[in-house]
Amino acid sequence: MPRIANLSSAGRRWTLWGLLVLLLLALLGILVWLAARYEASQVQQQLERDANEAASDIRSALTHNMQSLLALHVSEPSTASWALDTAAVLHEHRELLRVEWRTATLAIKSQVNSPFHAPLFDSLGRDSALSDIGAACANARRFSGPAYSASYFVPQDDGLGTEVLDLCLPLLSAGQLTGYLLATYSLDEVLARMVNPQLTRSQEASFTEADGARLAVHGTARRGNRVFTAQQLLDLPGNTLVLRMDSWRGAPDLFPNVLTALVSALSLALLAVLALLASDMRRRLSAESDLAEALAFRKAMEDSLVTGLRARNLEGRITYVNPAFCSMVGFAAHELLGSDVSPPDREDSVQAYWPPELTATYKKRHATRLAGEHPPPERFEAVFMRKDGTRLPVLIIEAPLINAQGQHTGWMSAILDISEQRRVEEQSRISQERLQATARLATAGEMASMLSHELNQPLAAISSYATGTSNMLQGEAVPVTADLLMAMRRIAEQAERAGKIIKSVHDFVRRRDQARESVAPQALLDDIMPLIHLQAHKLSVQVQTSLDASLPHVLCDRTMVEQVLLNLARNAMQAMDHPGGGERLLLIGVQLLASNPAWMEFSISDQGPGISPDVARQLFTPFFTTKLEGMGLGLSLCRTVVEQHGGQLAFEPNQPRGTRFTFTLPVASPPGHAVGSAIGARKAPQTQSDPEASNIGLNP
Ligand code: ADP
């Protein structure tokens, strides 16, 4: 589902990007187009200005010429002098092709041709243009001023021709028309002479008819194929000419001018920035997806944790809990997060999982933490309350929460549910108590055993004496009463009965013979270590064990052997308990017996004062003790137990000082061997037979 959402959001993102690129392209296209248009309009305006300027140039030059021509008649010239002056004027003004002096009836009085051109009307004759001249001069008479004819074409001998225009000036004398001065202009030359050459350097000037046909052209040959055109009307009395300016541009340039180039460059830069943005976006997206992946990984990690995690801000409000914490206390995350945890009538924060009886303590601890005077310990134990009201002991490991800016924003705590640990501790305490009770029972049993052992001899003596006496009384001639005999027999009977009772007590005590099991040496030590450590701590003794994990199991009565180990360890530690005794080290070792690997040797070494020969002689004697509140039964019990297993208990001086007690136990038969046969086949190392026990016959 989220994947589909991702896809559709990615699709939308790409659509938006596409739209953005399109809009940008459109904008840039319009910008370039506008810039080009602006440039064209600039050119057009310039052209209009040029056309205007050219028209006014021509207008003022024509007026100037007119004045020069009028000046010819200022002083009533003779025909000859007129011709001379006129020739000078024609020499000066190349655009004038011919000047005629005509009478009021338009008859030619005199005429002068331009020295720069072939005589104009040689081939065609002047009369061909008479109607044009007549119209112009009629106009001139009507205006009492200059008038221009319509332009007309005059073919030449060389096959070419020229478009010309006549100017008719009425000559007045004392208000009476005396004649006409007729000047013929070449339109080509008008353009060439009268228009500022600057204007025609890169443009073409022409006179056209209303339908666009060119009458005369001057200017550079056309270049390129883009044409700009401006037209200007040249209003002359009697005639109106159209002056047209054409400007050619080369094939439309990609960057016609600086502005367009600038806009284009900016557009390119914009596109580049867009591309950079897009790549940045792509990097961002990939970083985003990496981040999402890392977040998912972190979430999976948090969800799989069995340790509860809880983050609190500086006010003590919970800002984060992981699923393990929620399942620990039985509240949902939303019930723990934020402010709804604290009841509305209380301003201070009270957590839902605080047991009411401890709330005051916890609040005080929180206040201390806030004050920052005594930073709380990093690890501490506390009690939480589940939603159902049950309590659970927890171990809290707390660390300050520092954000990316290095500011302290709260605390992060890891919370371990230690109820299982507590249960195990309780169980081990109970089993230790049981072990001690068993030890006491075993001691009592041993006492009974010793009592029976001690009592057996006198009882046996009573029995034999009684039997002897009774025999004597029967055999010798001693006066015997039947009652005496009877009494003697009773002694024997009772003594025998006592012996039986004691034997049954003995059997009862020894019934544990059957409780053999295969145990790892390590397991034996593990069971008693808590008790040993307890006493070692009290007596400041250091305890070391040395055994190989790969050692085989031993076959033994677990409780009794543990009792032996305990007794020997206790004796060893007590032996070291005197002031100034130097190092106090208790070493418990287990190894296979070098001389016979079917036996396991346990050793308990101390660094006490050792055992003097005096003490050594009575060491295993029941009730022998050198301690104030000693019973003197420990060692004899130990020996009994070890020997019941077929092993041997011995002691020797320890190096550099103290005593080393050792005892042996049979190694459990490897799988597949019957236990009974293994015991039968096994022979204890240096088996010692107890002469007394065999005498009495109470031992099995
Ligand atoms: P108890 O410990 O009640 O005295 P035991 O039979 O265990 O009885 O010990 C008998 C005596 O043997 C002790 O009183 C002590 O004098 C001596 N003894 C036992 N173990 C050691 C030892 N490791 N070092 C020196 N003396 C010992």
Side-chain angles (χ1 to χ4, degrees):
M1 202 53 193
R3 184 156 168 72
I4 292 170
N6 272 351
L7 279 179
S8 84
S9 88
R12 205 174 52 232
R13 198 177 294 126
W14 283 117
T15 314
L16 282 176
W17 269 102
L19 212 63
L20 180 64
V21 169
L22 268 182
L23 283 175
L24 213 63
L25 283 178
L27 181 74
L28 295 180
I30 288 172
L31 261 177
V32 171
W33 180 73
L34 279 178
R37 242 180 67 125
Y38 174 74
E39 182 227 15
S41 81
Q42 289 291 99
V43 173
Q44 182 66 40
Q45 277 175 17
Q46 182 62 43
L47 201 63
E48 303 271 355
R49 273 199 301 277
D50 288 352
N52 202 5
E53 198 180 319
S56 67
D57 278 357
I58 294 172
R59 215 176 277 120
S60 64
L62 286 176
T63 312
H64 178 78
N65 281 7
M66 199 167 63
Q67 285 162 356
S68 304
L69 289 170
L70 280 174
L72 295 174
H73 288 272
V74 167
S75 54
E76 301 283 332
S78 66
T79 315
S81 73
W82 179 87
L84 264 177
D85 291 348
T86 302
V89 168
L90 282 175
H91 197 269
E92 217 172 291
H93 298 280
R94 285 179 177 230
E95 64 275 15
L96 283 172
L97 299 183
R98 175 184 166 94
V99 177
E100 295 170 353
W101 186 1
R102 294 202 179 212
T103 62
T105 58
L106 288 182
I108 292 177
K109 203 167 164 183
S110 178
Q111 59 178 35
V112 182
N113 278 315
S114 167
F116 303 110
H117 296 272
L120 196 59
F121 297 106
D122 276 7
S123 58
L124 200 63
R126 187 62 174 134
D127 289 349
S128 62
L130 209 58
S131 64
D132 290 307
I133 298 167
C137 288
N139 275 342
R141 200 167 57 235
R142 212 170 36 247
F143 300 153
S144 297
Y148 289 88
S149 71
S151 70
Y152 54 93
F153 185 75
V154 182
Q156 296 293 297
D157 284 344
D158 53 7
L160 297 171
T162 178
E163 188 79 13
V164 299
L165 177 74
D166 286 325
L167 163 67
C168 186
L169 283 170
L171 300 173
L172 298 169
S173 173
Q176 287 297 308
L177 180 78
T178 56
Y180 296 100
L181 192 71
L182 213 70
T184 305
Y185 281 104
S186 154
L187 286 186
D188 280 333
E189 290 296 330
V190 164
L191 289 175
R193 306 288 155 202
M194 294 183 169
V195 176
N196 185 350
Q198 292 285 352
L199 299 180
T200 49
R201 183 160 298 157
S202 63
Q203 313 176 108
E204 189 186 74
S206 59
F207 286 116
T208 64
E209 288 182 340
D211 63 358
R214 285 164 194 260
L215 302 174
V217 181
H218 179 77
T220 50
R222 57 170 60 196
R223 309 176 255 115
N225 52 10
R226 184 162 179 203
V227 66
F228 290 87
T229 300
Q231 291 189 332
Q232 191 73 35
L233 289 178
L234 189 63
D235 242 334
L236 301 172
N239 188 11
T240 300
L241 288 172
V242 179
L243 177 68
R244 184 170 134 176
M245 297 285 287
D246 287 307
S247 166
W248 280 273
R249 292 276 140 165
D253 293 336
L254 191 55
F255 304 114
N257 66 3
V258 179
L259 182 67
T260 316
L262 207 68
V263 167
S264 305
L266 279 179
S267 308
L268 284 178
L270 209 62
L271 281 176
V273 168
L274 201 68
L276 282 178
L277 265 179
S279 90
D280 183 62
M281 186 78 163
R282 228 181 10 254
R283 267 208 306 278
R284 223 163 242 272
L285 282 177
S286 97
E288 222 171 68
S289 86
D290 285 355
L291 200 68
E293 218 158 87
L295 271 179
F297 179 72
R298 204 193 79 171
K299 173 124 185 35
M301 216 161 69
E302 284 168 4
D303 291 353
S304 70
L305 273 184
V306 290
T307 309
L309 290 179
R310 173 194 68 185
R312 290 193 290 180
N313 64 12
L314 289 176
E315 286 88 53
R317 298 227 187 291
I318 294 182
T319 54
Y320 167 79
V321 283
N322 73 341
F325 184 81
C326 292
S327 70
M328 214 180 267
V329 293
F331 286 97
H334 69 267
E335 292 176 289
L336 297 169
L337 291 178
S339 55
D340 33 340
V341 167
S342 85
D345 54 327
R346 306 266 292 267
E347 278 188 16
D348 47 355
S349 173
V350 174
Q351 309 296 0
Y353 52 84
W354 284 0
E357 69 274 14
L358 290 169
T359 301
T361 320
Y362 289 176
K363 272 163 68 177
K364 213 161 82 196
R365 192 161 66 195
H366 185 63
T368 315
R369 180 187 293 119
L370 264 189
E373 286 158 10
H374 307 289
E378 283 167 357
R379 302 167 67 100
F380 54 92
E381 288 184 12
V383 176
F384 282 176
M385 184 174 70
R386 294 195 188 90
K387 196 173 186 180
D388 61 10
T390 53
R391 310 290 196 259
L392 78 155
V394 290
L395 173 69
I396 301 179
I397 301 152
E398 199 148 72
L401 206 58
I402 309 293
N403 70 4
Q405 283 75 44
Q407 284 169 333
H408 179 205
T409 57
W411 287 273
M412 174 56 100
S413 320
I415 292 133
L416 296 171
D417 182 351
I418 53 172
S419 39
E420 178 62 16
Q421 187 184 331
R422 282 288 154 80
R423 198 184 59 76
V424 170
E425 276 171 15
E426 181 63 18
Q427 242 179 9
S428 102
R429 194 183 59 77
I430 290 171
S431 75
Q432 275 169 23
E433 271 173 9
R434 247 203 326 262
L435 201 66
Q436 277 167 333
T438 315
R440 275 197 300 276
L441 259 182
T443 312
E446 178 67 6
M447 276 174 73
S449 169
M450 291 308 155
L451 277 173
S452 70
H453 179 85
E454 294 300 312
L455 285 174
N456 216 7
Q457 279 190 26
L459 281 176
I462 290 172
S463 171
S464 58
Y465 280 132
T467 311
T469 312
S470 130
N471 289 342
M472 263 184 351
L473 283 173
Q474 279 173 344
E476 298 296 324
V478 179
V480 186
T481 64
D483 288 346
L484 180 62
L485 198 64
M486 181 70 156
M488 281 305 197
R489 241 183 244 123
R490 287 277 148 83
I491 291 172
E493 273 169 23
Q494 289 308 314
E496 231 168 288
R497 194 160 167 258
K500 274 178 190 158
I501 291 168
I502 286 163
K503 184 172 185 297
S504 71
V505 169
H506 200 97
D507 284 348
F508 174 75
V509 173
R510 299 209 166 187
R511 205 179 56 191
R512 296 189 60 89
D513 278 5
Q514 311 311 320
R516 298 281 163 88
E517 56 183 307
S518 162
V519 194
Q522 181 69 58
L524 289 172
L525 293 193
D526 287 347
D527 279 350
I528 58 162
M529 266 317 171
L531 280 175
I532 291 182
H533 279 303
L534 216 67
Q535 199 169 13
H537 185 70
K538 218 184 304 172
L539 302 178
S540 313
V541 171
Q542 215 191 326
V543 183
Q544 268 181 20
T545 56
S546 126
L547 76 167
D548 198 340
S550 62
L551 283 177
H553 287 200
V554 289
L555 194 68
C556 66
D557 178 333
R558 186 172 183 153
T559 316
M560 294 309 284
V561 170
E562 283 170 10
Q563 199 57 40
V564 169
L565 280 166
L566 259 182
N567 265 329
L568 294 178
R570 187 167 50 218
N571 277 349
M573 287 191 280
Q574 283 172 347
M576 288 185 278
D577 184 28
H578 52 87
E583 194 189 12
R584 297 180 175 190
L585 176 66
L586 170 68
L587 186 67
I588 303 175
V590 186
Q591 61 190 66
L592 281 173
L593 197 62
S595 56
N596 186 353
W599 292 86
M600 189 78 76
E601 184 187 63
F602 291 73
S603 66
I604 292 94
S605 318
D606 65 64
Q607 308 236 350
I611 295 174
S612 65
D614 253 7
V615 174
R617 228 173 290 126
Q618 319 173 57
L619 204 58
F620 295 104
T621 312
F623 304 111
F624 168 79
T625 178
T626 59
K627 299 167 192 166
L628 276 181
E629 61 278 9
M631 281 271 289
L633 281 172
L635 283 177
S636 64
L637 164 72
C638 292
R639 191 174 66 172
T640 311
V641 170
V642 170
E643 286 177 356
Q644 273 170 16
H645 285 84
Q648 196 202 4
L649 176 66
F651 64 93
E652 60 190 11
N654 186 33
Q655 290 310 324
R657 63 173 191 279
T659 316
R660 180 168 181 269
F661 275 88
T662 58
F663 66 89
T664 49
L665 287 178
V667 169
S669 59
H673 284 66
V675 172
S677 66
I679 291 175
R682 192 178 279 127
K683 212 122 183 60
Q686 310 158 26
T687 309
Q688 268 189 352
S689 55
D690 187 332
E692 280 180 312
S694 51
N695 269 353
I696 300 163
L698 285 175
N699 275 1

